[in-house]
Amino acid sequence: MSVILIMIPGAMILAGLGVWAFIIAAKKGQFDDLDTPAIRAVFDDDDERPGWHDPSHTIQDEAAPQDQSPPSAH
Amino acid sequence: MTRAISTSSVDAMPDSAAAKEEVLCDHCDLPVPAGLIDPEAEHQFCCGGCETVYNVLHGAGLEGYYGIRDAVAKDNQPAASSNQNYEELDDPAFQSACVTNLPGGECETELLLEGMHCAACVWLIERLPRVCPGVVESRANIRTRSAVVRYAPDRVPLSRVAQALDKLGYAAHPARGAGAREARRKEDRRFLIRVGVAGAIAGNVMLLAIALYGGALSGIDEFWEHTLRYYSMGLGLLSLIWPGRVFFRGAIAALRTRTAHLDIPVALALAVGGIWGSYNTLTQSGEIYFDSLSVLVFFLLVGRWVQHRQQRGAADQVELMLTLTPTSAERLLDDGTTKRVPIEAVELGMRVRVEAGGSIPCDGIIEQGTTQVDNALLTGESRPIPRAPGDEVIAGATNLGSPIVVTVSAIGDSTRAAKLMALVASATADKAPIVQFADRIAARFVIAVIVLATITLTFWTIRADLRTGIEFATALLIVTCPCALGLSTPMAMSIALGRAAKQGVLIKSAAAIEAMSNPAKLRGVMILDKTGTLTQGKTRVVRSECEPDLLQAAAAIEAASNHPLARAIIDASGDAPAPPAEGITQTPGAGIEGLVDGRRVRVGSPEFIRGSIGLDESTESAVESVLADGLTPVVIADDQGRVGVLGIGDPLRDDTTDAIAALRARGWDLHLCSGDHPEIATRLASQVGIEHAMGGASPERKAELVRTLREQGHERIVMVGDGINDAAAMALADVGIAVHGGAEAALQAADVYLTAPGVMPIETLCDLGSHTMKTIRIGLVVSLCYNTVAASLATAGLISALIAAIIMPMSSLSVVALATRPWKHKGAR
């Protein structure tokens, strides 16, 4: 049972580290905006591949129809 | 490509519409007006703004926007470009105030964006670097509707960045007061840290408490028990002095100002529980309370944080609206060209050009141009005032007629508008805050709890010993700690704030919800402004006794005039193309005449027609009745003896009469207070059913009315208005409500801002207020029942501390669940 004498302070230190990390993150503004990142994650990876959402036309194709499939996955 | 509904597969339009071969705009999917359809063109647009955005998107390979938009936001329309040039953003005065210089030569600024509402908008705004070379990064925030833009100033000026955003359909407004925003952001973070720390501590103390309770049931070695109790004490005290110190601070502040506050009973319970718990831990006897105390701190902080966040959201939206008012002026340079400058850079003696329909940026003397100005926002006067060179105009007025050049005669603090704002500031300082329900209850609560605790202490000290007395009194203090008030009240309030926002009511202070709930009991008075609040604030033809073709002929002649009454006549004549008119002569202040289809048509005041043709008896009586209704009569006559009479005025909003009746039924004592002529105010008041009316009221008089009513014993005074002239009274009243489309000053002074047009949202707010207050009362009763039962059983020794510890969070959970009680507005349109 005497292992508890080490376990409890150890657990406290771990919890303290978690709280410390949380405070750092909060101070750096990680929790300022909780809505936009959720949206951003949906369509983040098409920048390097323009036209990826519709391989049948290029950027210059001005007359492209609009009823192309959405780039975001349904 | 002409896209018709019948061939479109992406649109979720109802099938019934498919029959109509309606042409839709390629950008926003709204029908294209018949006159704008170009059969030759490949793409069809409903306006130039949509065309600009469409071309920019396709030019930059950003067509993906349409796909995302169709996937995420079916009913939201994309914004159109406004094609402004934003050159005022490059002014050094502005740059030093709003732009941060980063190391490496880049600059960063925050822009508030109009029209940003969905995921597709975020996608588009964050692809700004593709559209506008020189922009390094653009990060959107959908909650505050803003974007932080990092750009290289040597490659692209800020005005071009703003133009690019505008071309994408998001009119950009610089976020003023960067220092204040940063301070608020820091405050938000500190708040969140307190919640997080309190939560971590509460969780750990509960883990220790499980071991202790387990030990209490099945036996525990004394050494381990005391070790665990010491750990609990360490964490519990940490919770009280770190996140929990806000309650002590609040209680001390409340005691100092001798006001009732919920923090007082909370701090009392925390302090007594903390001290007695520590004493028991050190003396190794009795109960420790740190599990309950740390959970209490956590729950109360969560409740406050939720409410704080909701309120901040409303404040952010109001701030966005504030930035929509013009903050730049068009300066006329000596060489005759004009340049947009920020309002801060305008100096005395400068010449400023004001477009027709524009807002006058500063007090000044007209140098060129004859026009009419609308002072409604400043004085409440609904009729336009003619102004010629040499006359004075005031900042905040609207130029209705033709473009004018104004020499600036006053800037900053010396303008009329600034003086009114100073009045608002002093009124705000005078205003006593509403003592909220929770705080009022708290005052009685403290007394009741202290009395009960003293009785318990004395009773058990006499019956047993001092130790048992303190033990039971402490248990009583903690178990009756107003968790329901502290948790369910903010929960119910923040839910109400969210519901109100959905109904078009933005609330800056939660106290307003309560203040609107029960007018009858507090002899509530609602003072309503007339122009722009009950009425539309625009000149329209209200009564027409005139044949349509005669009205059209009149409109054809009036097209040559820039008189505000002319605008009303043209609007009333309908959409049909006007017949050509020639030989037009104007008589200033009287009327206008000209030839239409070979007929000589005269339009003007009754005197004008009387002097030229003469009026018969039936026309005279029509003019009389128009005058009797408080409208401006305009007579139209042609040389074939046909005569028509128009009554022009400021019509009521569609919902005014219904809303006034509903508000009266709720028990509001209604007052009309207008800057307009007393006779007009009285007539309108009797028309819509308002008992008290006051006309010719200056802003100072309106504020005075609030004071007088308060002295007469009315405890709840609400001021509803739209202009700078109402702002002082709004600030002084218990609740100030700014209606849709109001002036900047009104927004600043108001506690509540309506985003939906009309007066009806106020009625919705009243309904929501009484619903919310009922929810809070039910929550209070439920939690008091829990607490009373638990406390009495515990003091009588009938239940163990373990069961009490289970009942406490259960009562909290059930009152939170109660707070989400559904609300359905009975009077909803």
Side-chain angles (χ1 to χ4, degrees), chain B residues 1-2 37-44:
Chain B
M1 184 191 68
T2 303
I37 296 175
D38 180 3
E40 305 290 306
E42 196 176 4
H43 302 282
Q44 301 293 346

Side-chain angles (χ1 to χ4, degrees), chain B residues 794-813:
Chain B
T795 4
L798 289 175
I799 53 169
S800 70
L802 174 64
I803 295 174
I806 294 171
I807 287 182
M808 260 199 49
M810 265 190 44
S811 81
S812 305
L813 275 181

Side-chain angles (χ1 to χ4, degrees), chain B residues 273-291:
Chain B
I275 290 167
W276 189 244
S278 308
Y279 176 79
N280 278 346
T281 314
L282 295 174
T283 57
Q284 308 198 337
S285 59
E287 287 289 330
I288 59 164
Y289 304 96
F290 294 111
D291 50 339

Side-chain angles (χ1 to χ4, degrees), chain B residues 155-177:
Chain B
R155 289 181 60 202
V156 60
L158 185 57
S159 60
R160 282 256 302 283
V161 178
Q163 277 173 38
L165 280 166
D166 188 276
K167 287 221 167 68
L168 291 177
Y170 307 98
H173 303 276
R176 274 155 202 274

Side-chain angles (χ1 to χ4, degrees), chain B residues 641-725:
Chain B
R642 297 200 304 159
V643 181
V645 177
L646 301 178
I648 296 181
D650 182 11
L652 286 174
R653 290 180 189 262
D654 294 339
D655 61 354
T656 299
T657 315
D658 293 346
I660 293 296
L663 287 171
R664 269 171 70 100
R666 284 195 176 273
W668 288 102
D669 189 6
L670 298 171
H671 284 248
L672 182 82
C673 188
S674 172
D676 235 338
H677 196 270
E679 205 173 305
I680 299 177
T682 318
R683 195 175 295 116
L684 189 118
S686 62
Q687 189 187 338
V688 296
I690 296 177
E691 295 141 55
H692 313 280
M694 182 168 111
S698 64
E700 290 83 356
R701 282 279 292 139
K702 288 192 180 189
E704 200 48 52
L705 176 68
V706 175
R707 280 199 197 94
T708 317
L709 286 169
R710 188 163 286 151
E711 275 158 23
Q712 286 170 7
H714 295 281
E715 284 175 54
R716 195 62 84 229
I717 298 169
V718 178
M719 173 76 207
V720 187
D722 72 323
I724 302 171
N725 60 329

Side-chain angles (χ1 to χ4, degrees), chain B residues 591-624:
Chain B
I592 187 167
E593 58 179 294
L595 280 172
V596 181
D597 292 339
R599 290 178 295 161
R600 176 146 293 271
V601 180
R602 291 179 172 82
V603 187
S605 65
E607 292 77 36
F608 176 68
I609 309 290
R610 228 178 261 136
S612 54
I613 310 175
L615 292 178
D616 59 16
E617 238 166 62
S618 69
T619 316
E620 287 286 6
S621 68
V623 169
E624 285 289 312

Side-chain angles (χ1 to χ4, degrees), chain B residues 136-416:
Chain B
V136 182
E137 191 190 37
S138 162
R139 288 188 82 72
N141 182 331
I142 193 152
R143 202 171 68 84
T144 56
R145 303 185 187 210
S146 62
V148 176
V149 178
R150 198 146 56 80
Y151 64 100
D154 48 335
R155 289 181 60 202
V156 60
L158 185 57
S159 60
R160 282 256 302 283
V161 178
Q163 277 173 38
L165 280 166
D166 188 276
K167 287 221 167 68
L168 291 177
Y170 307 98
H173 303 276
R176 274 155 202 274
R181 287 172 78 85
E182 190 54 35
R184 282 199 324 222
R185 210 168 282 156
K186 285 224 174 86
E187 191 202 326
D188 287 353
R189 289 175 192 168
R190 271 200 300 273
F191 213 131
L192 184 65
I193 288 173
R194 279 201 291 271
V195 174
V197 171
I201 294 176
N204 282 294
V205 177
M206 282 315 272
L207 286 177
L208 295 170
I210 288 173
L212 282 171
Y213 285 126
L217 289 179
S218 62
I220 186 169
D221 186 271
E222 216 167 85
F223 170 74
W224 292 117
E225 189 186 349
H226 292 308
T227 311
L228 293 177
R229 281 163 62 116
Y230 273 111
Y231 275 120
S232 299
M233 178 178 84
L235 287 174
L237 290 181
L238 183 66
S239 176
L240 292 190
I241 59 172
W242 184 1
R245 70 168 183 268
V246 286
F247 301 109
F248 295 113
R249 215 182 274 156
I252 290 169
L255 285 178
R256 236 181 233 154
T257 53
R258 311 215 173 276
T259 45
H261 198 276
L262 193 57
D263 279 348
I264 298 173
V266 173
L268 185 68
L270 293 183
V272 172
I275 290 167
W276 189 244
S278 308
Y279 176 79
N280 278 346
T281 314
L282 295 174
T283 57
Q284 308 198 337
S285 59
E287 287 289 330
I288 59 164
Y289 304 96
F290 294 111
D291 50 339
S292 304
L293 293 178
S294 53
V295 171
L296 200 63
V297 170
F298 175 55
F299 276 7
L300 290 173
L301 283 176
V302 166
R304 283 184 194 191
W305 184 68
V306 168
Q307 184 179 351
H308 176 82
R309 245 178 84 84
Q310 191 71 259
Q311 248 166 291
R312 182 53 51 83
D316 282 344
Q317 281 194 45
V318 171
E319 188 171 346
L320 175 62
M321 277 169 219
L322 273 177
T323 63
L324 304 191
T325 53
T327 45
S328 65
E330 202 177 351
R331 188 185 164 192
L332 190 67
L333 301 173
D334 291 337
D335 59 1
T337 56
T338 59
K339 184 171 187 270
R340 284 230 149 254
V341 293
I343 203 90
E344 293 87 352
V346 173
E347 284 167 22
L348 280 182
M350 265 186 189
R351 289 187 305 158
V352 173
R353 208 177 111 93
V354 186
E355 287 295 332
S359 167
I360 296 170
C362 45
D363 287 7
I365 312 284
I366 296 185
E367 190 170 295
Q368 281 172 37
T370 309
T371 186
Q372 287 84 30
V373 295
D374 176 5
N375 282 342
L377 287 180
L378 287 152
T379 60
E381 204 169 349
S382 59
R383 284 179 209 202
I385 306 152
R387 283 282 182 264
D391 287 343
E392 197 178 43
V393 287
I394 44 180
T398 313
N399 176 19
L400 295 171
S402 46
I404 50 171
V405 175
V406 176
T407 309
V408 180
S409 66
I411 47 164
D413 293 343
S414 48
T415 60
R416 171 78 178 135

